Amino acid sequence: MESKRNQEQWNPDKRGPKGFAAQMGDEASSEPQSPPRPQPAGGEHGMDEAVVREMGYQFVDMIVEYWKGLEGRRVYGPLSPVGLDEMFKESLPEQGAPLAEVLQEVRTRVFPNTMAIGSRRYFGMMNPAPMPVAVFAEALASAMNQNVASWRHAPSGTAIEKRVIRWLCDLFGLPETSFGTFVSGGSLANITALKLAINRALGRHLSQMDRGGPGQDIAKLVFYVSSQGHYSFDKAVDMLGIGRNQLRKIPQDDIFRIDLRFLEESIQADMAAGRKPACIIGIGGSTNTGSIDKLDKLAELARRYDCWFHVDAAYGGAVILSEMYGPMLRGIDQADSITVDPHKWFYMPFSAGGILVRDGDFLRQSFLVHPEYYMEKTSDGAEEPPEDRRGFHLGDKVNFFQYGVQGSRRLNALKLWMAFKMVGRRQYAAWVEKDIELARILAARIRRQDDFQILGPNTLGICNFRWQPQRPGGGSFTPEETDQLNRELQETVENDGDAWFSYTMLNGRVALRVNVENRCMGQSDIERLMTVIRRTADRILTTK
Amino acid sequence: MESKRNQEQWNPDKRGPKGFAAQMGDEASSEPQSPPRPQPAGGEHGMDEAVVREMGYQFVDMIVEYWKGLEGRRVYGPLSPVGLDEMFKESLPEQGAPLAEVLQEVRTRVFPNTMAIGSRRYFGMMNPAPMPVAVFAEALASAMNQNVASWRHAPSGTAIEKRVIRWLCDLFGLPETSFGTFVSGGSLANITALKLAINRALGRHLSQMDRGGPGQDIAKLVFYVSSQGHYSFDKAVDMLGIGRNQLRKIPQDDIFRIDLRFLEESIQADMAAGRKPACIIGIGGSTNTGSIDKLDKLAELARRYDCWFHVDAAYGGAVILSEMYGPMLRGIDQADSITVDPHKWFYMPFSAGGILVRDGDFLRQSFLVHPEYYMEKTSDGAEEPPEDRRGFHLGDKVNFFQYGVQGSRRLNALKLWMAFKMVGRRQYAAWVEKDIELARILAARIRRQDDFQILGPNTLGICNFRWQPQRPGGGSFTPEETDQLNRELQETVENDGDAWFSYTMLNGRVALRVNVENRCMGQSDIERLMTVIRRTADRILTTK
């Protein structure tokens, strides 16, 4: 182990008092003034091949150990930030420790204190059980460490990201003119979309270098999303220099879709008041319930009122993989922009968010900067790429930093590219369909319980329900008491550690929320969950 | 290999026409209507342990193969986006392929067509040769797939990110009240900082839910950065609803630092014109030259004119690790916010950007949202956390989505935490010092060439120089011809594949730019580079 440490630490403590430069002969002497510092062993990467390989294998063993351990452990236990912070409290180490020690710390401190995402008893918050091939692909991407900011620093990486973006655009039925980019997640995707909507509404964008700010015009813009919209839209409008009162939260209908009549009335009222409707946001799978807005109707409204049409399909976009369920997103092919997060229901580990844009060139114009150190040479020595290499089509040289807010960028597309190639669309579709069907099986089980009620639309892999028992001595609990009982049910299951699901608020009342996003889950896992819920509910009621 | 494929693909093609739900007995039947779908093999994670382990080892072998291959290969070759796009052109696969096939494609198509970042002959764009321990830690983070958006979905992960943020804040001398967050990169960090500056200047922030937009006030704000500022500031002001003409690009002095006299005059002129100076941006290591502004003087000016003081130390922040060179950042401890990118000179693979904020609570107020499904329960059933658990101090429950623009977040801090523990600050310092000193050795070599001139400040690990040969027949080349010669030199080295460095524009003229950011590089690598430059220059000149 000591030898590994010394391989990784290149000559740590042998620096003379005058520093390395002095030893190396800084000023014009080609002969070092002191014995030459040894060159790193093991070739270009500086480490002995066998040592690196052994280190990698140890990490793989750790990963297998973690996954294996998911079976026997609590899904989540009563953890305290006080205890955890104390556990990790230490000053920045001055000296290194052997790899084995660090791995042992991961084993004893990190592993037991995680949420067991990846467990077949975790029914959580759109954090998938990640595919092993994608997990290992993360290390592969990091090993190459290509910077998908510029084409030159990631030639094959750029080709892969372009290809995966094309696959996603094709899946959603966007035209050839569409393009997009991977981003850190749905929040960045949504903020990018709203920025494009602003640019479209105001007729300005970044590549017009000489322009001033948007001025008062921006204060007239209005954005529409259902009350089930993701919190990132609140952040987004604030970031973009817009008041949160310019984001209209339109009420939902009985299955949590945006109320179209109310939406159109709001648009008309805003126009009558001299405001400018800029963007209609449709939801393709809400976080709370998985509800899907009537996207085709929203597309129609967006055309009628000259609005940008954005669809937040961060979660639900994956159903486009399925011929059976894809039509639930009918109308998404008319979107101006689409948020889709492969790190949700494409079973990718974080991070792999995506933004797809119908008018790819408009995306580019909106983020086009030309730093001095990224100029493209042309054959005549000019600093601009030729016209036919300024786009994003097959054979065009794409610098992704010109297509979004990020600069340096990780090759997040690699893992999805490898996963798609390894399992194919049909297998993906089968997994997504299975998850949906498992959520329906749970709903069926819940319906058979007299004291439970289904609350959500149960469209995707989410099942929302509420426990509404009668008082043991007879009579009803108040709605507030029932809220508290549902919280207690969630909390008790959480603390027992046999399963994990969350709760949320639906129509002002507490609802339990189960989300299936695990390609390995089967019916037995749903039956087991139902047993846990039933048993826990019965136990709680005996204390009332 | 086939068996692996079938393990990964869970029962791909055996779905009946009625779908899985029908098979499973959707409606209240506990007996499936057709033979039950087989449960996935291999325990909770759904794959056989041995298969996963073998897959992981294969990826490790691939990584070792890639790193080993860096030695013999071209650093970068003349690649064409046309050829590459053709190579990766295929429709989304309907069916999967065996792992071995996919890995073979990586080997033959991806690997040979990368920029050899990580090679000791790559002197590029702040893309480091990543530390192996950090590369493998990426897979470990992905395997746990903790979502560092909320504490509950990453208990130990949150503790680790809090700890690493504390280490970084401590390194930069920020007070106990400081906090921060990992972001996807420097661009996101800079945009976050400017958002805070706007909020401070306008006295408003997101947690004030009822507020309208910033209105006309935002158009009065002015931001100051040197002309060496990163392009992300252009994007940032545009994103934030500010005109690019509100971002003043202040001229630089002779060693590429912001001109303080010019800066103060600009501030006074803006104030006289009724505008509001909102933010002074200092650069702690510019992309072009590594130049460092006089941060202590900028801090003074920021105090005098009531400006937010942001330091973009994305690149140069790493010198704070060194007792020898850390003082070059004198004054950074007075910053209101600091951008630091461990995926630059901390030798981390992408992505690991960071934003540190002096007033951590102000950061939180600026991004505080309370989605219904992330509420914290308290003992009395209320939905708000108790007052003493709303902060970010030791023992506080931090939900990182409330500290920045991102929602779902990867545990990017894990790799840096492991790297710090494995090698310690002193080793890190030695590497950074060595890189600086290698850049100085190169400068010394360049100075010995009569036909080369050093152009940059040579402060950090960057060496800027310009080839200025005489015409072979006697007489001088024009400056334009010399520009072209330098481009040709860079391009020839690039095409020969023996090394890679970039060129940029300094004071309107083409300058070559060598960046050392590889802990394994030694003096011999610099000597080799000098040989390549000398030989290539001589060869070019014979053709003139």
Side-chain angles (χ1 to χ4, degrees):
Chain A
M1 203 33 60
E2 199 52 23
S3 73
K4 277 166 210 166
R5 174 184 175 186
N6 289 341
Q7 293 284 358
E8 173 76 18
Q9 298 186 350
W10 179 30
N11 199 23
D13 292 319
K14 291 176 185 145
R15 297 178 53 261
K18 288 190 288 178
F20 183 57
Q23 291 183 39
M24 284 306 211
D26 192 0
E27 286 307 314
S29 157
S30 65
E31 284 302 305
Q33 291 158 17
S34 58
R37 195 171 173 134
Q39 285 303 305
E44 187 127 15
H45 193 71
M47 284 177 67
D48 186 78
E49 180 186 333
V51 174
V52 178
R53 194 187 306 271
E54 172 59 24
M55 183 194 280
Y57 286 179
Q58 284 182 273
F59 272 82
V60 171
D61 290 347
M62 289 281 288
I63 288 170
V64 171
E65 182 185 323
Y66 180 77
W67 281 338
K68 207 173 153 189
L70 289 176
E71 192 151 15
R73 59 165 275 187
R74 315 170 61 89
V75 183
Y76 181 80
L79 297 171
S80 148
V82 179
L84 276 171
D85 282 354
E86 282 299 331
M87 189 183 287
F88 288 95
K89 186 181 175 183
E90 64 174 321
S91 303
L92 178 61
E94 282 288 299
Q95 300 285 347
L99 174 62
E101 263 179 40
V102 181
L103 288 182
Q104 186 58 19
E105 239 187 292
V106 170
R107 189 174 279 119
T108 57
R109 296 183 177 181
V110 183
F111 281 180
N113 298 307
T114 58
M115 171 67 89
I117 293 163
S119 160
R120 278 158 56 195
R121 294 168 296 141
Y122 171 78
F123 301 89
M125 298 293 300
M126 290 157 181
N127 310 309
M131 288 171 66
V133 67
V135 165
F136 297 126
E138 289 286 58
L140 195 57
S142 289
M144 296 186 286
N145 208 29
Q146 302 291 283
N147 188 343
V148 208
S150 76
W151 187 85
R152 195 162 301 271
H153 279 81
S156 50
T158 302
I160 286 172
E161 183 160 345
K162 282 175 76 176
R163 176 53 34 198
V164 176
I165 289 288
R166 182 52 48 209
W167 285 346
L168 293 172
C169 286
D170 288 349
L171 276 171
F172 286 108
L174 294 180
E176 274 298 303
T177 54
S178 63
F179 196 53
T181 169
F182 274 68
V183 289
S184 61
S187 293
L188 256 287
N190 284 338
I191 200 172
T192 303
L194 265 52
K195 174 63 182 161
L196 296 176
I198 291 173
N199 284 1
R200 175 65 52 87
L202 299 183
R204 64 193 302 281
H205 47 64
L206 182 62
S207 65
Q208 297 151 336
M209 312 264 296
D210 51 341
R211 289 282 190 92
Q216 267 305 79
D217 292 346
I218 201 172
K220 290 187 181 151
L221 305 184
V222 198
F223 299 73
Y224 306 87
V225 67
S226 101
S227 51
Q228 292 297 311
H230 190 253
Y231 67 80
S232 57
F233 292 111
D234 290 314
K235 287 185 183 180
V237 291
D238 181 66
M239 281 293 277
L240 296 165
I242 292 173
R244 285 174 79 180
N245 58 358
Q246 288 168 256
L247 178 66
R248 305 259 179 275
K249 304 280 182 74
I250 306 296
Q252 64 225 17
D253 67 12
D254 56 335
I255 53 171
F256 300 93
R257 301 175 305 187
I258 192 167
D259 184 312
L260 294 168
R261 196 182 47 79
F262 205 109
L263 168 62
E264 190 159 10
E265 285 171 9
S266 297
I267 292 174
Q268 290 173 347
D270 281 325
M271 290 173 73
R275 289 181 285 264
K276 160 74 185 133
C279 182
I280 295 175
I281 299 160
I283 301 175
S286 65
T287 313
N288 262 341
T289 70
S291 59
I292 299 174
D293 290 339
K294 288 182 171 175
L295 302 177
D296 51 348
K297 302 291 181 196
L298 293 181
E300 228 177 276
L301 285 175
R303 270 195 304 275
R304 187 176 314 152
Y305 295 102
D306 192 26
C307 286
W308 186 273
F309 178 37
H310 174 62
V311 177
D312 180 358
Y315 162 52
V319 299
I320 206 73
L321 293 158
S322 157
E323 292 177 30
M324 196 189 323
Y325 294 118
M328 290 198 293
L329 295 171
R330 190 177 55 227
I332 200 167
D333 58 325
Q334 297 167 62
D336 290 305
S337 54
I338 299 171
T339 290
V340 58
D341 274 359
H343 65 212
K344 292 193 169 77
W345 213 356
F346 290 73
Y347 311 103
M348 293 294 103
F350 302 111
S351 297
I355 175 77
L356 311 176
V357 181
R358 175 176 224 83
D359 181 351
D361 199 56
F362 189 69
L363 174 67
R364 180 170 169 275
Q365 295 295 327
S366 290
F367 291 99
L368 196 57
V369 286
H370 287 293
E372 290 155 334
Y373 41 87
Y374 264 136
M375 275 171 301
E376 283 294 336
K377 290 179 296 283
T378 60
S379 49
D380 60 351
E383 302 299 346
E384 274 288 323
E387 196 61 52
D388 64 344
R389 286 289 169 275
R390 290 183 191 181
F392 48 82
H393 296 286
L394 207 71
D396 290 347
K397 199 174 272 186
V398 168
N399 294 317
F400 272 105
F401 78 93
Q402 292 168 328
Y403 287 84
V405 68
Q406 293 180 264
S408 289
R409 295 168 72 255
R410 180 180 168 72
L411 181 50
N412 279 329
L414 181 72
K415 53 182 177 280
L416 187 56
W417 181 76
M418 291 187 79
F420 268 140
K421 290 185 84 74
M422 204 170 143
V423 305
R425 185 199 60 82
R426 291 183 63 189
Q427 173 62 68
Y428 250 120
W431 284 334
V432 168
E433 289 162 9
K434 173 197 70 63
D435 280 352
I436 292 175
E437 289 149 7
L438 288 181
R440 290 182 179 178
I441 290 172
L442 177 65
R445 295 286 172 280
I446 292 283
R447 277 193 208 96
R448 289 163 71 187
Q449 316 289 319
D450 290 338
D451 51 344
F452 280 81
Q453 192 194 352
I454 292 290
L455 290 186
N458 235 145
T459 319
L460 299 178
I462 296 176
C463 180
N464 304 97
F465 54 92
R466 180 172 163 92
W467 181 34
Q468 308 196 115
Q470 293 293 301
R471 218 176 265 282
S476 299
F477 288 105
T478 66
E480 290 70 29
E481 286 170 333
T482 308
D483 281 353
Q484 187 52 28
L485 282 170
N486 278 272
R487 280 193 206 95
E488 198 175 331
L489 176 54
Q490 190 273 341
E491 198 165 50
T492 307
V493 171
E494 175 175 298
N495 288 344
D496 288 350
D498 294 329
W500 196 88
F501 51 84
S502 64
Y503 76 92
T504 186
M505 302 296 286
L506 294 181
N507 297 319
R509 299 261 71 103
V510 173
L512 301 172
R513 179 184 173 285
V514 163
N515 186 3
V516 180
E517 208 165 293
N518 185 325
R519 69 196 204 297
C520 301
M521 252 184 215
Q523 188 174 357
S524 64
D525 300 301
I526 300 299
E527 307 294 356
R528 179 166 57 178
L529 172 66
M530 192 62 238
T531 305
V532 167
I533 292 172
R534 185 68 268 170
R535 192 184 60 210
T536 311
D538 292 344
R539 202 175 84 215
I540 289 173
L541 209 57
T542 61
T543 68
K544 300 299 163 186
Chain B
M1 207 31 63
E2 199 52 24
S3 73
K4 275 166 208 164
R5 172 183 174 187
N6 290 338
Q7 293 284 357
E8 174 75 17
Q9 297 186 349
W10 179 30
N11 198 24
D13 292 317
K14 292 177 182 143
R15 298 177 54 260
K18 288 190 290 181
F20 183 57
Q23 291 184 39
M24 283 307 211
D26 192 1
E27 285 307 313
S29 156
S30 65
E31 285 301 307
Q33 291 159 18
S34 59
R37 194 168 173 137
Q39 285 301 308
E44 188 127 14
H45 194 70
M47 283 177 69
D48 187 79
E49 180 187 333
V51 174
V52 178
R53 193 186 308 272
E54 173 58 24
M55 183 194 279
Y57 286 179
Q58 283 182 274
F59 271 82
V60 171
D61 291 347
M62 290 279 289
I63 288 170
V64 171
E65 182 184 324
Y66 180 78
W67 281 338
K68 206 174 154 189
L70 290 177
E71 192 148 15
R73 59 165 275 185
R74 315 169 61 88
V75 183
Y76 181 80
L79 297 171
S80 148
V82 180
L84 276 172
D85 282 354
E86 283 299 330
M87 187 183 288
F88 289 95
K89 186 181 175 185
E90 64 173 322
S91 304
L92 178 60
E94 283 287 298
Q95 300 285 348
L99 174 62
E101 263 180 39
V102 181
L103 289 182
Q104 187 57 20
E105 239 186 293
V106 170
R107 188 175 281 119
T108 58
R109 298 185 176 181
V110 183
F111 281 180
N113 298 308
T114 58
M115 171 68 89
I117 293 164
S119 160
R120 278 158 55 195
R121 294 168 295 142
Y122 171 78
F123 301 88
M125 298 293 301
M126 293 158 178
N127 310 308
M131 289 171 66
V133 66
V135 165
F136 297 126
E138 290 285 57
L140 195 57
S142 288
M144 295 187 286
N145 207 29
Q146 302 291 283
N147 188 343
V148 209
S150 76
W151 188 85
R152 194 163 301 272
H153 281 80
S156 51
T158 303
I160 286 172
E161 183 162 344
K162 281 175 76 176
R163 176 52 36 197
V164 177
I165 289 287
R166 182 51 50 210
W167 285 346
L168 294 172
C169 286
D170 288 349
L171 275 171
F172 286 107
L174 294 180
E176 275 297 303
T177 54
S178 63
F179 195 53
T181 168
F182 274 67
V183 289
S184 60
S187 293
L188 255 287
N190 283 338
I191 202 172
T192 303
L194 265 53
K195 174 63 182 162
L196 296 176
I198 292 174
N199 284 1
R200 175 64 52 85
L202 299 182
R204 62 194 302 280
H205 48 63
L206 183 61
S207 65
Q208 299 150 335
M209 313 264 295
D210 52 341
R211 288 283 191 92
Q216 268 305 79
D217 292 345
I218 202 170
K220 292 187 182 153
L221 305 184
V222 198
F223 299 74
Y224 306 88
V225 68
S226 103
S227 51
Q228 293 296 313
H230 191 253
Y231 66 80
S232 57
F233 292 113
D234 290 315
K235 286 185 183 180
V237 291
D238 181 67
M239 281 294 277
L240 297 166
I242 292 172
R244 285 174 79 180
N245 59 356
Q246 289 169 254
L247 178 65
R248 304 261 178 275
K249 303 279 182 76
I250 306 295
Q252 64 225 16
D253 67 13
D254 57 335
I255 52 170
F256 299 92
R257 300 174 305 185
I258 192 166
D259 184 311
L260 292 169
R261 197 182 45 80
F262 205 108
L263 169 62
E264 190 159 10
E265 285 171 9
S266 296
I267 292 174
Q268 289 171 347
D270 281 326
M271 289 172 74
R275 289 182 284 263
K276 159 78 185 131
C279 182
I280 295 175
I281 299 161
I283 301 176
S286 65
T287 313
N288 262 341
T289 70
S291 60
I292 300 175
D293 289 339
K294 288 184 171 173
L295 302 178
D296 51 348
K297 301 291 182 197
L298 293 181
E300 228 178 277
L301 284 175
R303 269 195 304 274
R304 188 176 314 151
Y305 295 103
D306 193 25
C307 285
W308 186 272
F309 178 37
H310 174 62
V311 178
D312 181 357
Y315 162 53
V319 298
I320 206 71
L321 292 159
S322 157
E323 291 177 31
M324 196 188 321
Y325 294 119
M328 291 198 293
L329 296 170
R330 189 176 56 228
I332 201 168
D333 58 325
Q334 297 167 62
D336 290 305
S337 54
I338 299 172
T339 289
V340 57
D341 275 359
H343 65 212
K344 293 193 168 78
W345 214 357
F346 289 73
Y347 311 103
M348 293 294 103
F350 301 109
S351 296
I355 175 76
L356 310 176
V357 181
R358 177 175 223 83
D359 181 352
D361 198 57
F362 189 68
L363 174 67
R364 181 171 169 275
Q365 295 295 326
S366 290
F367 291 99
L368 196 57
V369 286
H370 286 294
E372 290 154 332
Y373 41 86
Y374 264 136
M375 276 172 301
E376 283 294 334
K377 289 179 296 284
T378 60
S379 51
D380 60 353
E383 303 298 346
E384 275 287 325
E387 197 61 52
D388 63 343
R389 285 289 169 275
R390 290 184 192 181
F392 48 82
H393 296 286
L394 207 71
D396 290 347
K397 198 175 274 187
V398 168
N399 294 316
F400 272 104
F401 77 92
Q402 292 169 329
Y403 288 84
V405 68
Q406 293 181 264
S408 289
R409 294 168 73 255
R410 179 180 170 73
L411 181 50
N412 279 329
L414 181 72
K415 52 182 176 282
L416 187 56
W417 181 75
M418 290 187 81
F420 268 141
K421 289 184 85 75
M422 204 169 142
V423 304
R425 185 199 60 81
R426 293 184 61 190
Q427 174 62 70
Y428 250 119
W431 284 334
V432 168
E433 289 162 9
K434 173 197 71 63
D435 281 351
I436 292 175
E437 288 150 8
L438 288 180
R440 292 182 179 179
I441 289 171
L442 177 65
R445 295 286 172 278
I446 292 283
R447 276 193 209 96
R448 289 164 69 186
Q449 316 290 320
D450 289 338
D451 52 344
F452 281 80
Q453 192 194 351
I454 292 290
L455 291 185
N458 235 146
T459 320
L460 299 178
I462 297 176
C463 180
N464 303 96
F465 53 94
R466 180 171 163 92
W467 181 33
Q468 308 196 118
Q470 292 293 301
R471 219 176 265 280
S476 299
F477 290 104
T478 67
E480 290 69 29
E481 287 169 333
T482 308
D483 280 353
Q484 187 52 26
L485 282 170
N486 279 272
R487 280 193 206 94
E488 201 176 329
L489 177 53
Q490 191 273 340
E491 199 164 50
T492 307
V493 172
E494 174 175 300
N495 289 344
D496 288 349
D498 294 329
W500 197 87
F501 50 85
S502 63
Y503 76 92
T504 186
M505 304 295 287
L506 293 181
N507 296 321
R509 299 260 71 101
V510 173
L512 301 172
R513 178 185 173 285
V514 163
N515 187 3
V516 181
E517 207 166 294
N518 185 327
R519 70 198 203 295
C520 301
M521 251 183 215
Q523 188 174 358
S524 65
D525 300 301
I526 300 299
E527 307 295 356
R528 179 166 56 178
L529 172 66
M530 193 61 239
T531 305
V532 167
I533 292 172
R534 185 68 270 168
R535 192 184 59 208
T536 310
D538 293 344
R539 203 174 84 213
I540 289 173
L541 210 56
T542 61
T543 68
K544 300 299 164 188

